[in-house]
């Protein structure tokens, strides 16, 4: 039987965090995330504010800043705000949509459910976090 292609699921397959997951796992993720679009200039995350969601960038560019200093730019397939999924502490940076962006939103409630249903996601998110810490340490070493 022919199964229609779900555009949301196809977009999820392009996200590095979800790469190589089984089809059933990707479909579970699809049920837990919501899709939003925001125009350029929108503040997605504000430094020192509490947040309860992370954003997976589907298209566009997001600028990360700390104390007004540019840290990096993130693009399609990358995640921002993931620390809030783990520790529910104030945000460590501000994230601004540098261009119009399409995002998948994952709240802490959905993330907890996702980790219970798809444990591989927790390991992948830890790898993303470790990469961010290593990059920050490398940047400090150059100063």
């Amino acid at each position: 039987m022919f199964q229609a292609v779900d555009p949301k699921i196809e977009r999820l397959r392009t996200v590095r965090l979800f790469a190589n997951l089984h089809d059933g796992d990707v479909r579970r993720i699809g049920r837990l995330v919501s899709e939003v679009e925001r125009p350029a200039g929108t503040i997605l995350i504000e430094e020192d504010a509490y947040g309860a969601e992370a954003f997976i960038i589907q298209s566009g560019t997001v600028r990360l800043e700390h104390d007004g200093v540019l840290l990096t730019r993130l693009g399609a397939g990358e995640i921002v705000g993931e620390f809030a999924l783990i520790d529910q502490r104030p945000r460590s940076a501000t994230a601004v949509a540098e261009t119009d962006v399409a995002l998948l939103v994952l709240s802490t409630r959905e993330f907890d459910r996702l980790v219970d249903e798809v444990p591989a996601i927790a390991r992948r998110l830890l790898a993303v976090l470790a990469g961010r810490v290593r990059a920050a340490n490398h940047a400090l070493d150059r100063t």
Side-chain angles (χ1 to χ4, degrees):
M1 180 173 176
F2 176 75
Q3 187 173 7
V5 176
D6 181 342
K8 182 178 180 182
I9 299 303
E10 290 306 308
R11 283 190 300 275
L12 282 169
R13 292 182 202 286
T14 68
V15 175
R16 189 173 26 146
L17 186 62
F18 307 138
N20 304 317
L21 289 178
H22 298 289
D23 287 348
D25 292 340
V26 176
R27 290 190 186 287
R28 279 186 197 93
I29 295 164
R31 288 190 297 270
L32 295 174
V33 297
S34 56
E35 297 177 285
V36 298
E37 294 182 0
R38 297 291 182 257
T42 301
I43 296 173
L44 304 171
I45 293 170
E46 193 164 352
E47 189 172 341
D48 295 325
Y50 285 87
E53 69 279 325
F55 300 94
I56 301 160
I57 304 165
Q58 294 186 93
S59 65
T61 305
V62 172
R63 181 177 71 242
L64 287 182
E65 302 172 350
H66 176 69
D67 289 335
V69 176
L70 176 67
L71 298 174
T72 191
R73 288 181 172 87
L74 301 173
E78 296 187 277
I79 187 169
V80 62
E82 68 278 6
F83 284 19
L85 298 177
I86 296 169
D87 67 5
Q88 292 84 45
R89 303 221 12 189
R91 304 288 192 163
S92 60
T94 296
V96 180
E98 195 164 59
T99 64
D100 292 349
V101 293
L103 307 160
L104 297 172
V105 183
L106 182 62
S107 73
T108 53
R109 174 187 278 172
E110 279 79 23
F111 176 72
D112 290 344
R113 193 167 149 203
L114 183 59
V115 168
D116 289 342
E117 294 180 16
V118 187
I121 291 299
R123 289 188 297 277
R124 288 170 192 240
L125 185 56
L126 289 172
V128 168
L129 295 174
R132 295 253 173 101
V133 170
R134 288 179 193 278
N137 287 340
H138 181 70
L140 287 173
D141 288 344
R142 292 190 316 225
T143 60

